Each structure stands twice: as C-alpha cells, then as structure tokens.
Amino acid sequence: MKLWRKLAQLLWHSVVGKLWATIMLLVAVVLIILGVFLLQYIDIFFDKDAHNIKVLFVITAIIGFLLSTFFAFFLSSKIQQPLLQLKNAADSVSQGDYTTRVHIHSSDEIGQLANTFNHMTEQIDKLIGDLNHEKNHLTSILRSMGDSVITFDADGEVILANPSGHLLLSQWSSLERGWDDEGGQEGKASFKGIPAPLRGLFHEVVKEGRDATDKIHVHSTVWSVVMAPLQSNGVIRGAVAVIRNVTEEHKLDKLRRDFVANISHEIRTPLSMLQGYSEALLDDIVVEEEERKELVQVIYDESLRMGRLVNDFLDIARMEAGHVDMNYQKIDLKGMLRRVHRKFQVYAKEREVALHAAFSEEPLVIMQGDEDRLEQVLTNLLDNALRHTPAGKSITIDGERLNVNGKAYIQLKIKDEGQGIPQEDLPFIFERFYKADKARKRGSSGGTGLGLAIVKNFIDLHHGQIVVDSLAGNGTTFTLLLPVEQQEGNVVHAANHQILH
C-alpha cells in the first residue's frame, strides 16, 4: 500500500505522471461514455454475438489504454528532457557557474525558454565579469594608496580596509586602555570595533549624516582624518575614513610659524637699539666724546650682529629650499684646519683663551667635499666655543683618520673647557633658534640660535655625522665624521660609540 502511495506521489509530482494521468482520465471518460450508451444496444441487436462484442470492446479499451500510455510517455519525454536540462543548468548557475548553457534546438515555447535562459546566463556572466573587474580595479587602487582607507558598517565593524588601513588598525588596537575619548562614556560603550581615536568622529558622522574632518594626535604623530557617511535610500549604513599621516606637515607648519616669530623677535631688538642710540646721537643727548664713541660702537656691534643674523637666515632658507650650491672636490682638511686655527688665534688671545691644534701626521684628505661650506662649519663651531669658554681655559682642534665598519672616515674634534651644555638641552641644540643658555645676554656673547642648525645641514650634505658630548661645567666636545669616499646616506648609528671615544 505504501509503495503504491509513494508511486502515486512520484507520478503526481512529475510532468510525465500528470500528463499520463490526464490522458488516462480522458480515455476512461470516453470509454465509460461509450459503454453507457452502447452496451445496452449490443444486448438488444446482437443476441448471439453480444459476448464476443463485449470481449472485443474490452480488448479495444485495453489497447487504447496502452497506446495512450505509450503516447503520453513519448510526448512527456519530449517535454521532460528539456525541462531537466533547464533545471540542471539553473542549479549550476545558482552554484556560481555562469558559463552554463542549455542546448535545446526547437521552435516551440520550450526552445524559446532555452534561448531566453542562455541569454540571461550570458548577461549574468558579463555582469559578474564587469563587477569582478571593477572590484579588482578598486582593490588595486586601494592597495596602491599611501593613505589608510577603512570602511565601517553601521555597528562600527570593519568591512573593508587597504593594507595601510590594516596596519593602522593593528597599531591602534592597543590604544583602547587609557585613551581619553572625547565622546564620553557613551562613545566608549558603543562602536567597540572602531579604534579609539576614530570613535568620536564616527559617532558624529553617523549621527549627523555629513562629512567630517579632524586632526588627531596619537602619541608623537599627527593624523588627518576625513570621514564620510555611506547612505542607501536615506539610511546611513556605515562610514568610510581616509587617514593620512601629517606629522611632517604639522611639524613643518609649526617650524614655519616659529621661524617667522623668531625672526621678528631676533630682528626687533637690534633694530630698537639702532634706532634708540641713533636718535640719541641725532638729538645731541650725549655730550661727552667718550660716551658718543661708546654709542657709536654699540650701533656698529648691533649692525654687525644684524648682518650675521640676516646671513644666517638666508643660509637656512636656501638650504630648506634645496638651493644650496655645493662645489664638491678633493680637499686637504689638514690645510683647512691650519687656516681656521690661524684665523681664530687673534680672537682667542683677545679673550685670553688658549687655542691648540693637534693633527695626526697622516694626510686628512676627503675625495668629495665643499671647502667653503666645511670652513663655515668649523668657523661656526669655533666661534661658539670661544663665546662660551672663559678666560684662562683652552680650546683644542683635533683631526685624525678612522676606520668605521670597514670604511675610511676623517674625524674632526673641537673641544672646549667652557661652561658645557645641560643634559636636557643636548637633544635640541641642532634645532633652529634653540639656545641652551636661556639667560645669556645679547651682544658679543649672544648668538642667533641658527649656527648649529646650519652646521648640521652642511654635515648632512656631506653624508657625514656630527655628535656632541657635554656635561654642564665640564666643557663641550663636537665630533665630526666625514667619509673619505663619497657615500649615499648617513653614517651608520653603530659608529656613535666609536666617535665619542
């Protein structure tokens, strides 16, 4: 019984079964109608042959049933096979094989359906190919971008990020603890998938539905963030953030502002003194000849100081603009050291400071160097040493040849017995306008704060290195290391210990 029930269900759920059942029903209806109307007349008109006619009628009905069944299955097979092909092809398309085609060649409705199906799969295949091409194109663009691009959904989870964005996310994942979120406790409690520095901005963008920009400070770096909402039918479904490291730009902008402020500050004082003393001379306020000469001397000293200041400004400006002309050639540093030593010997005697020169016997020659620039470096360092070395002390200039990491270098040292530099000031002495002696007076002992910055730039242009070793009250030693042969890049930092000793 169960077998017949399953067979009936199978036939009923197939096209063949439905078609066969329909034909059988039609045949049965026809035979029943014929039997109802004809069997009664057979008994009346054919008394002798009634039984044979009835047998013939039954045989004819059976043959009719069999022929109908054969015809039904033959016809249904012509319909079922194309439908099975369409069904299998649809399964392949649903599994991602968009190259699937059905091969049905007929002009009826099933053939038209097959042609429509093939056209549909062709269009889908083309559409998917275009989408994959656009996706690969977008992925290549995102991968090549130096900026970090991160896309968040409405819940704050990351749904897309380029390699730079993934690296930034991993770096900022450790900022959760102790991060001061400006959004308050509400901002901290939600959007946990977003890095803490971006959480407040994301909350603002999702809430207001408009673009937002901000600069965030993470440790010692500054980041510019541009975040825009992702909207679909008026509903915000997330946000995309473009993040750029602007630490250098921020630093340069600050240096530019400080540069202008320092220029104004440095120039204003000598100008005020020049104006004040010249007005005193013009108004005949000073009567004594000695006082008049003293004012004229002050005006002269301040004019010289302003000239040095302007020249330093021009040197710094040219170096930062990349307009420094370097005349590289073979240089004998020993001859240059003797020349600088003789030039400063007079100034040293005036200040009662002993200026010593100690050179090795071997030649101190570099193959690529600018003699004028290196002489300016030594001049700035010796002038700085003389201004900070009291009377009765000494300054020593030393030069020798060294091998550092298998490469030949010339090491120059300028050592004084002056007041020294405090340890907290050492990391900043090569910055522009930085003065370790905050309380020193202007005048002959005052500098512009640009000399060591110029020295550092010129040494870098020679691919060398300059370091300073100093203790407050114990003097200062500036050590220069210049490569004998021209090199690319700076001297390795592993040589620092050898330079200082």
Side-chain angles (χ1 to χ4, degrees), residues 39 129 202 206 218 222 230 234 355 382 396 422 448 450 474:
L39 288 178
F202 179 81
V206 172
V218 181
V222 183
L230 299 175
L355 183 59
L382 281 173
T396 303
T448 63
L450 294 173
N474 292 330

Side-chain angles (χ1 to χ4, degrees), residues 78-102:
K78 294 295 183 180
I79 299 174
Q80 187 183 34
Q81 292 301 325
L83 292 179
L84 287 176
Q85 291 185 33
L86 288 171
K87 183 246 183 196
N88 295 330
D91 289 338
S92 298
V93 172
S94 66
Q95 294 174 6
D97 184 8
Y98 302 107
T99 60
T100 302
R101 303 290 185 271
V102 292

Side-chain angles (χ1 to χ4, degrees), residues 3-22 24 69 73 76 80:
L3 181 61
W4 285 104
R5 187 178 301 171
K6 290 182 179 180
L7 183 60
Q9 290 179 354
L10 180 62
L11 290 175
W12 181 250
H13 288 291
S14 66
V15 176
V16 176
K18 290 181 179 179
L19 186 61
W20 178 79
T22 302
M24 290 298 99
T69 301
F73 277 99
S76 64
Q80 187 183 34

Side-chain angles (χ1 to χ4, degrees), residues 37-71:
F37 286 96
L38 295 178
L39 288 178
Q40 56 182 340
Y41 293 104
I42 290 174
D43 293 334
I44 296 174
F45 295 100
F46 303 97
D47 294 334
K48 295 180 179 180
D49 297 327
H51 177 72
N52 294 332
I53 292 175
K54 290 181 180 180
V55 172
L56 179 63
F57 182 82
V58 172
I59 293 173
T60 303
I62 293 173
I63 293 173
F65 273 111
L66 294 176
L67 290 176
S68 299
T69 301
F70 174 78
F71 176 74

Side-chain angles (χ1 to χ4, degrees), residues 35 67 148 191 377 386 464:
L67 290 176
S148 300
F191 308 129
V377 167
L386 283 171

Side-chain angles (χ1 to χ4, degrees), residues 233-473:
N233 298 325
V235 178
I236 297 177
R237 54 185 181 86
V240 57
V242 180
I243 308 168
R244 174 179 296 177
N245 189 339
V246 293
T247 305
E248 289 300 322
E249 291 86 342
H250 182 77
K251 183 179 179 181
L252 290 175
D253 186 58
K254 183 177 183 301
L255 288 176
R256 187 163 46 247
R257 292 195 304 268
D258 293 343
F259 186 71
V260 174
N262 281 304
I263 287 177
S264 303
H265 176 72
E266 293 289 342
I267 292 180
R268 184 171 58 246
T269 300
L271 282 177
S272 299
M273 296 182 70
L274 289 173
Q275 182 180 357
Y277 287 137
S278 60
E279 287 178 354
L281 292 174
L282 289 173
D283 295 339
D284 292 328
I285 296 176
V286 180
V287 180
E288 299 292 336
E289 185 65 25
E290 185 178 350
E291 293 181 359
R292 184 182 296 274
K293 289 182 178 180
E294 186 176 330
L295 290 184
V296 172
Q297 184 64 42
V298 171
I299 292 174
Y300 177 72
D301 292 340
E302 289 299 322
S303 65
L304 290 178
R305 182 175 181 276
M306 183 175 290
R308 291 195 304 270
L309 184 65
V310 171
N311 288 331
D312 288 346
F313 286 154
L314 292 176
D315 287 339
I316 284 290
R318 281 194 293 266
M319 282 186 287
E320 291 190 344
H323 297 156
V324 180
D325 295 327
M326 302 294 290
N327 182 22
Y328 291 110
Q329 58 184 348
K330 185 177 179 180
I331 301 175
D332 181 9
L333 294 179
K334 187 179 293 186
M336 186 181 66
L337 289 172
R338 289 196 181 100
R339 186 170 60 251
V340 173
H341 176 261
R342 287 194 303 268
K343 182 172 64 174
F344 277 91
Q345 191 69 44
V346 177
Y347 297 103
K349 288 181 179 180
E350 290 178 357
R351 292 169 172 78
E352 299 180 358
V353 174
L355 183 59
H356 304 292
F359 309 136
S360 62
E361 296 297 331
E362 57 186 345
L364 304 178
V365 178
I366 61 174
M367 305 307 296
Q368 297 288 334
D370 189 319
E371 187 170 0
D372 291 336
R373 302 301 184 186
L374 290 177
E375 185 169 341
Q376 184 178 354
V377 167
L378 294 175
T379 299
N380 286 355
L381 292 176
L382 281 173
D383 180 69
N384 191 63
L386 283 171
R387 285 189 287 109
H388 294 90
T389 301
K393 300 294 184 178
S394 65
I395 300 174
T396 303
I397 307 174
D398 185 13
E400 62 177 334
R401 187 183 178 96
L402 284 180
N403 283 326
V404 179
N405 294 338
K407 296 180 181 179
Y409 294 92
I410 302 299
Q411 176 180 275
L412 305 179
K413 284 188 178 182
I414 292 120
K415 182 179 181 181
D416 64 61
E417 297 178 351
Q419 62 193 27
I421 303 173
Q423 290 295 313
E424 61 270 16
D425 291 323
L426 284 178
F428 310 104
I429 61 171
F430 293 111
E431 293 186 6
R432 296 177 300 178
F433 300 108
Y434 190 85
K435 298 178 181 180
D437 186 4
K438 311 297 190 302
R440 69 171 181 246
K441 297 179 180 178
R442 298 180 182 272
S444 61
S445 64
T448 63
L450 294 173
L452 291 180
I454 294 173
V455 167
K456 181 68 166 60
N457 276 288
F458 282 148
I459 294 300
D460 288 341
L461 289 173
H462 284 82
H463 304 295
Q465 188 174 13
I466 180 171
V467 294
V468 58
D469 183 24
S470 180
L471 289 175

